């Protein structure tokens, strides 16, 4: 049975435990089971009420996105889809109007459709566990909550509180969810059912606030003073945040604005219409494919060589306790692994652990982590300067300075003591793996494990196969990445690998525009409007201009002095070489950071005089996106990438490539290879060979083939 019903103290306990699924999902089975349980509650005259809880680790994780995505892929039968949603909404309405109190007892995360069911209950209690997530994240996939969430949440907590949650799709921990009114109680896990029973037995009302006489939206409706101010401001705010690119934001605002002026049944019809519109549009399809399906299949090891037994690291060595090393050590410790964190001297290694302690202290202060958990995590990390402490490690991640000689040295010293079969991953961001593997006695166990900064927030790990890397090492690395809860893509060795190589073209385009005399402010606005998370000049400041300069010098040395002419190099020669502006860290780069408020450096115009005629912003947006898409296609052609999915997942998770496009290759599919190639050919004639379409695309244009 999907929902098991039992009776305790005159109260029905509904335990939701989907068959053959690891988590509860709001699918046809679940809804039918809920319907039967509800009928049983009504029929049982003695029952005082019901408690909905789950037999899984999670309460319920939302709609069946796989089914939704399948629908989005094919032709959507709008009438059938709308009818299906209407049935769900009617069921939820029957729950809240059944006349007996129904409590959601959330023993695990309740997100999306799972939380929408909880919203239709009369009372919500969550277990006191910081791992729990509660919220409506649908906007992350270009959708809005389609089972009443856009209507019940603002009716429960008011427009001003509900709007940011709906628009950003942020999930909350129980303590925050309680503070914001999304739930009514947080109790120790063991008391969940007794607290729910108590609420019912003590006369908990079987009526939603919005069904009570004289109900008003908390803080006032859309036409109240606060509501009017909010909707005027919100529209402008969304536009500033590239709303035009994300129709879900606008649709969410419409659903709230229109819906909150109607009775619930009619309001949810407005929501359904907007939901179906989004699902029929291209943005949700692309976002679902990359950010849901693509990410899931990457996490499950889509590129893992079969027939290699699973790998379970027992002890992990991390070399270098700097920014990246301490972050990687933390991710391992969080996953319950023992970590040896090694640096040049004990003090440096300890500083790495201290940095982590500070971070965790903040989590504890905010109530997001229990103090004991912090202590357990820190206890798993052993700082040291002594290589012999690595004895017995079965996996090593190297994150020392980006210097070939230092990396070679620590590789040799670590290999001398670790387990003979140990996997050795380098976190280098720029040095080719096959070259670094020359320092290794076991190049078949050597590969790249490219983490992103800040490690605790960035989900992606780019796994780079060197020429000699074995299937065993690759499979073990993917098992490790999964174990620490990150998402891997697999690429073959190439300068800049995949992510840095493609991402670099965005920065290069910013430099090219500067050299053409495009005003810096226009460049930056176009970058923002293209949907990239940061405009190119600001991003270069963040990366560090001095660092970029230095990487270039290293590359020049590697390639024997000759380096093709590159706009970034020419710009850096001026900005770093002549002006001594090195980036954000030193307070001056393309921007001035001294005054706290950053300002584009006024002196740029003396060195990059603005042209009399400035291009249209659309032309710049096209260049920013196309130049990256082209480089991603070249990576496919050269076999740096093995799958289109990895290109798109890596781009969106790795450097935030305009998520509404679904990634660079999705973008090409959307535009159509033929049109894309024609545009790039024109751009190449105007701006140079970096826009020349690779043969792969020319072929696709001729044959009508697509990446997906
Ligand atoms: P960092 O400078 O913060 O840390 C490097 C650490 O290595 C320092 O604590 C240093 O004392 C230690 N170290 C240097 N020589 C050593 C030796 N011989 N033995 C033991 N420890 C030694 O540098 P960060 O940013 O953590 O970078 C580390 C590596 O990660 C580099 O290869 C970098 O290219 C790469 N990387 C950096 C990213 C970033 O955003 N910072 C992103 C992805 C990769």
């Amino acid at each position: 049975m999907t929902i098991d019903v039992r009776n305790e103290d005159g109260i029905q306990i509904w335990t939701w435990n989907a068959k053959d699924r690891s988590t509860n999902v709001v699918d046809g089975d679940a809804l039918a089971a809920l319907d039967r349980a509800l009928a049983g509650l009504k029929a049982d005259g003695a029952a005082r009420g019901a408690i909905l809880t789950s037999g899984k680790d999670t309460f319920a994780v939302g709609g069946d996105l796989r089914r939704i995505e399948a629908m989005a892929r094919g032709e959507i039968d709008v009438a059938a889809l709308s009818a299906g949603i209407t049935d769900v909404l009617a069921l939820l309405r029957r729950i809240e109007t059944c006349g007996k109190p129904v409590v959601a007892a959330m023993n695990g995360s309740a997100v999306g459709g799972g939380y929408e069911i909880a919203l239709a209950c009369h009372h919500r209690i969550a277990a006191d566990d910081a791992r729990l997530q509660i919220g409506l994240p649908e906007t992350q996939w270009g959708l809005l909550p389609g089972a009443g969430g856009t209507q019940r949440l603002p009716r429960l907590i008011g427009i001003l509180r509900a709007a940011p949650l709906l628009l950003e799709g942020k999930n909350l921990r129980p303590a925050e969810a309680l503070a914001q009114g999304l739930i009514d109680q947080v109790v120790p896990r063991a008391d969940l059912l007794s607290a729910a029973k108590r609420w019912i037995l003590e006369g908990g009302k079987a009526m939603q606030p919005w069904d009570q006489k004289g109900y008003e939206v908390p803080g006032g409706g859309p036409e109240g003073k606060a509501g009017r101010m909010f909707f005027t401001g919100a529209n402008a705010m969304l536009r500033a945040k590239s709303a035009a690119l994300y129709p879900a934001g606008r649709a969410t605002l419409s659903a709230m604005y229109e819906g909150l002026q109607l009775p619930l049944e009619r309001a949810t019809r407005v929501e359904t219409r907007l939901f179906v519109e989004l699902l029929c549009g291209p943005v949700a399809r692309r976002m679902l494919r990359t950010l849901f399906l693509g990410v899931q299949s990457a996490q499950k090891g889509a590129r893992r060589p079969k027939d290699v037994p699973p790998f379970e690291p027992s002890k992990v060595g991390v070399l270098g306790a700097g920014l990246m090393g301490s972050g990687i050590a933390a991710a391992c410790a969080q996953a319950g692994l023992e970590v040896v964190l090694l640096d040049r001297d004990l003090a440096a290694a300890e500083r790495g652990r201290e940095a982590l302690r500070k971070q965790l202290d903040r989590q504890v202060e905010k109530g997001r982590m229990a103090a004991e958990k912090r202590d357990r995590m820190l206890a798993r990390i052993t700082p040291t300067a002594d290589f012999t402490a690595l004895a017995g490690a079965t996996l090593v991640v190297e994150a020392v300075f980006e210097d070939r000689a230092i990396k070679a040295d620590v590789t040799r010293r670590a290999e001398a003591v670790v387990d003979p079969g140990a996997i050795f991953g380098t976190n280098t961001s720029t040095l080719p793996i096959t070259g670094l593997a020359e320092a290794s006695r076991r190049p078949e166990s050597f590969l790249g494990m490219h983490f992103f900064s800040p490690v605790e927030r960035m989900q992606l790990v780019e796994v780079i196969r060197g020429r000699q890397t074995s299937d065993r090492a690759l499979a073990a690395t993917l098992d490790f990445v999964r174990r620490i809860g990150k998402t891997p893509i697999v690429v073959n060795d190439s300068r800049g690998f995949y992510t840095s190589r493609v991402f670099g073209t965005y920065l290069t385009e910013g430099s090219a525009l500067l050299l053409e005399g495009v005003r810096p402010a226009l460049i930056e606005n176009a970058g923002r409007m293209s949907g990239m998370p940061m405009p190119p000049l600001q991003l270069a400041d963040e990366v560090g201009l001095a660092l970029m300069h230095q990487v270039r010098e290293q590359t020049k040395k590697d390639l024997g002095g000759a380096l093709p002419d590159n706009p970034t190099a020419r710009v850096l020669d001026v900005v770093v070489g002549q002006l001594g502006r090195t980036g954000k860290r030193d307070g001056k780069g393309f921007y001035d950071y001294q005054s706290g408020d950053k300002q584009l450096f006024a002196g740029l115009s003396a060195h990059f005089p603005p042209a009399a005629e400035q291009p249209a912003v659309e032309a710049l947006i096209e260049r920013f996106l196309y130049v990256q898409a082209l480089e991603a296609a070249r990576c496919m052609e050269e076999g740096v990438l093995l799958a289109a999915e990895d290109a798109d997942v890596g781009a969106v998770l790795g450097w935030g490539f305009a998520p509404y496009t679904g990634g660079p290759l999705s973008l090409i599919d959307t535009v159509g290879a033929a049109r894309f190639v024609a545009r790039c050919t024109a751009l190449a004639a105007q701006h140079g060979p970096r826009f020349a379409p690779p043969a792969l695309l020319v072929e696709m244009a001729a044959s009508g083939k697509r990446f997906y």
Side-chain angles (χ1 to χ4, degrees):
M1 288 296 268
T2 305
I3 294 181
D4 171 68
V5 179
R6 68 176 193 276
N7 217 297
E8 276 180 26
D9 310 321
I11 292 170
Q12 289 194 355
I13 317 275
W14 300 346
T15 307
W16 183 359
N17 199 351
K19 266 187 311 203
D20 308 325
R21 276 192 189 267
S22 56
T23 48
N24 290 326
V25 165
V26 186
D27 57 6
D29 278 351
L31 293 167
L34 203 52
D35 210 5
R36 275 196 302 276
L38 184 64
L41 176 66
K42 279 190 170 164
D44 180 354
R48 304 270 306 262
I51 300 169
L52 176 62
T53 190
S54 146
K56 310 259 188 224
D57 291 342
T58 50
F59 178 75
V61 294
D64 190 351
L65 282 181
R66 198 164 286 279
R67 216 183 89 227
I68 293 176
E69 197 279 340
M71 240 184 292
R73 226 176 321 139
E75 279 299 305
I76 295 176
D77 181 346
V78 172
L81 175 64
S82 305
I85 296 173
T86 304
D87 288 348
V88 175
L89 291 165
L91 169 61
L92 296 187
R93 190 71 187 132
R94 283 203 298 284
I95 293 176
E96 66 185 3
T97 56
C98 75
K100 289 183 180 179
V102 179
V103 180
M106 296 176 264
N107 54 311
S109 293
V111 291
Y115 179 62
E116 288 180 294
I117 291 183
L119 274 173
C121 295
H122 302 105
H123 193 71
R124 286 157 292 277
I125 311 180
D128 187 7
D129 181 337
R131 283 172 306 180
L132 250 74
Q133 310 226 43
I134 295 165
L136 298 170
E138 283 82 348
T139 182
Q140 292 179 17
W141 298 294
L143 292 171
L144 51 71
T150 65
Q151 300 308 314
R152 288 195 178 88
L153 189 61
R155 279 173 170 78
L156 186 66
I157 64 175
I159 294 171
L160 297 190
R161 280 197 162 160
L165 294 170
L166 290 166
L167 292 172
E168 287 161 30
K170 211 170 111 195
N171 291 327
L172 303 180
R173 310 282 159 190
E176 267 176 284
L178 180 66
Q180 298 223 28
L182 278 77
I183 54 177
D184 305 295
Q185 268 179 280
V186 176
V187 301
R189 178 177 293 280
D191 302 341
L192 203 51
L193 286 187
S194 55
K197 283 184 203 164
R198 203 172 318 121
W199 186 80
I200 293 174
L201 294 175
E202 286 175 358
K205 254 201 185 141
M207 192 186 271
Q208 299 284 27
W210 44 89
D211 288 324
Q212 289 168 31
K213 236 195 163 126
Y215 165 79
E216 273 183 35
V217 179
E223 287 296 347
K225 194 165 159 240
R228 273 215 298 274
M229 266 173 67
F230 167 77
F231 281 101
T232 319
N235 264 320
M237 182 196 79
L238 270 191
R239 285 213 72 80
K241 285 194 175 174
S242 53
L245 310 174
Y246 296 94
R250 221 173 338 132
T252 302
L253 288 181
S254 297
M256 281 198 295
Y257 184 81
E258 292 175 45
L260 287 174
Q261 304 186 56
L262 297 169
L264 191 72
E265 279 94 346
R266 282 175 57 204
T268 49
R269 255 181 264 155
V270 172
E271 179 192 81
T272 303
R273 172 172 54 76
L274 291 161
F275 177 84
V276 172
E277 262 171 38
L278 288 175
L279 195 59
C280 292
V283 173
R285 294 175 185 220
R286 297 189 297 234
M287 290 180 81
L288 277 169
R289 184 175 61 212
T290 298
L291 288 164
F292 174 68
L293 285 187
V295 166
Q296 255 197 3
S297 85
Q299 283 169 347
K300 287 188 180 149
R303 244 53 75 203
R304 186 187 188 282
K306 312 276 175 278
D307 312 323
V308 179
F311 170 77
E312 171 68 25
S314 45
K315 176 174 166 184
V316 175
V318 177
L319 313 182
L323 181 74
M324 298 303 290
S326 58
I328 295 165
C332 295
Q334 187 150 31
L337 300 172
E338 292 298 320
V339 186
V340 174
L341 182 58
L342 180 141
D343 209 295
R344 284 177 294 186
D345 49 62
L346 187 59
E350 273 171 351
R351 267 198 305 279
R353 195 172 65 164
E354 271 320 292
L356 173 61
R357 181 193 301 278
K358 282 206 195 103
Q359 226 182 71
L360 297 181
D361 283 349
R362 277 197 297 273
Q363 301 276 330
V364 172
E365 270 162 37
K366 287 187 190 157
R368 289 192 189 144
M369 182 183 274
E372 304 80 64
K373 181 164 179 206
R374 171 199 57 201
D375 298 342
R376 255 182 290 139
M377 244 179 92
L378 290 168
R380 289 195 197 106
I381 301 177
T382 311
T384 185
D386 177 6
F387 277 85
T388 59
L390 295 169
T394 50
L395 187 136
V396 175
V397 186
E398 172 276 303
V400 300
F401 293 147
E402 188 76 341
D403 179 298
R404 211 184 291 280
I406 299 178
K407 286 192 186 297
D409 178 53
V410 298
T411 303
R412 282 191 210 103
R413 290 166 70 181
E415 279 186 351
V417 283
V418 297
D419 188 271
I423 307 299
F424 197 102
T426 170
N427 183 45
T428 178
S429 40
T430 54
L431 303 169
I433 301 306
T434 308
L436 291 179
E438 283 166 16
S440 168
R441 273 195 279 174
R442 300 186 281 266
E444 70 282 359
S445 301
F446 192 100
L447 38 60
M449 297 182 196
H450 184 200
F451 288 80
F452 292 74
S453 171
V455 179
E456 75 273 12
R457 274 223 319 270
M458 299 296 284
Q459 213 191 336
L460 188 72
V461 180
E462 183 177 24
V463 177
I464 305 127
R465 227 183 151 143
R467 206 172 303 134
Q468 301 186 58
T469 306
S470 67
D471 275 0
R472 184 191 74 92
L474 177 61
T477 301
L478 294 178
D479 292 348
F480 165 67
V481 171
R482 180 177 190 172
R483 174 70 205 268
I484 60 174
K486 303 271 181 207
T487 305
I489 60 167
V490 176
V491 312
N492 282 315
D493 204 5
S494 132
R495 189 164 285 283
F497 319 128
Y498 164 63
T499 55
S500 310
R501 174 171 162 182
V502 177
F503 162 75
T505 63
Y506 174 53
L507 299 183
T508 301
E509 209 50 32
S511 300
L513 291 167
L514 204 54
L515 292 171
E516 285 169 31
V518 180
R519 286 182 194 284
L522 179 56
I523 298 176
E524 295 294 83
N525 278 334
R528 258 182 231 110
M529 287 168 71
S530 74
M532 294 295 292
M534 215 185 254
L537 302 179
Q538 189 189 341
L539 195 53
D541 275 358
E542 295 273 341
V543 173
L545 304 182
L547 180 73
M548 285 166 61
H549 202 49
Q550 180 198 328
V551 168
R552 185 183 149 76
E553 292 305 310
Q554 173 75 49
T555 312
K556 209 180 341 187
K557 237 181 13 199
D558 288 357
L559 299 180
L563 209 55
D565 182 43
N566 172 296
T568 305
R570 275 195 274 152
V571 169
L572 289 178
D573 282 345
V574 175
V575 180
V576 183
Q578 290 178 34
L579 302 174
R581 303 180 69 91
T582 49
K584 187 179 176 193
R585 213 188 268 197
D586 303 321
K588 47 185 197 166
F590 289 113
Y591 287 78
D592 274 318
Y593 297 88
Q594 282 95 340
S595 48
D597 195 23
K598 67 174 190 324
Q599 294 266 333
L600 272 162
F601 170 50
L604 284 175
S605 60
H607 298 270
F608 308 102
E613 232 180 275
Q614 295 289 309
V617 71
E618 290 77 17
L620 305 195
I621 293 172
E622 182 185 57
R623 279 171 66 175
F624 283 142
L625 296 180
Y626 281 27
V627 78
Q628 297 179 73
L630 273 169
E631 196 66 16
R634 287 186 198 112
C635 288
M636 281 298 278
E637 180 177 86
E638 293 167 25
V640 171
L641 286 164
L642 309 172
E645 232 174 34
D646 279 8
D648 285 344
V649 168
V652 179
L653 298 190
W655 71 95
F657 181 88
Y660 69 93
T661 62
L665 299 187
S666 279
L667 171 74
I668 296 177
D669 267 3
T670 306
V671 175
R675 228 180 90 208
F676 186 81
V677 164
R679 273 307 297 149
C680 289
T681 308
L683 287 169
Q686 222 181 334
H687 304 294
R690 65 182 183 284
F691 283 102
L696 172 74
L697 288 183
V698 176
E699 250 166 57
M700 286 173 67
S703 66
K705 266 221 219 77
R706 308 168 57 80
F707 286 110
Y708 293 95

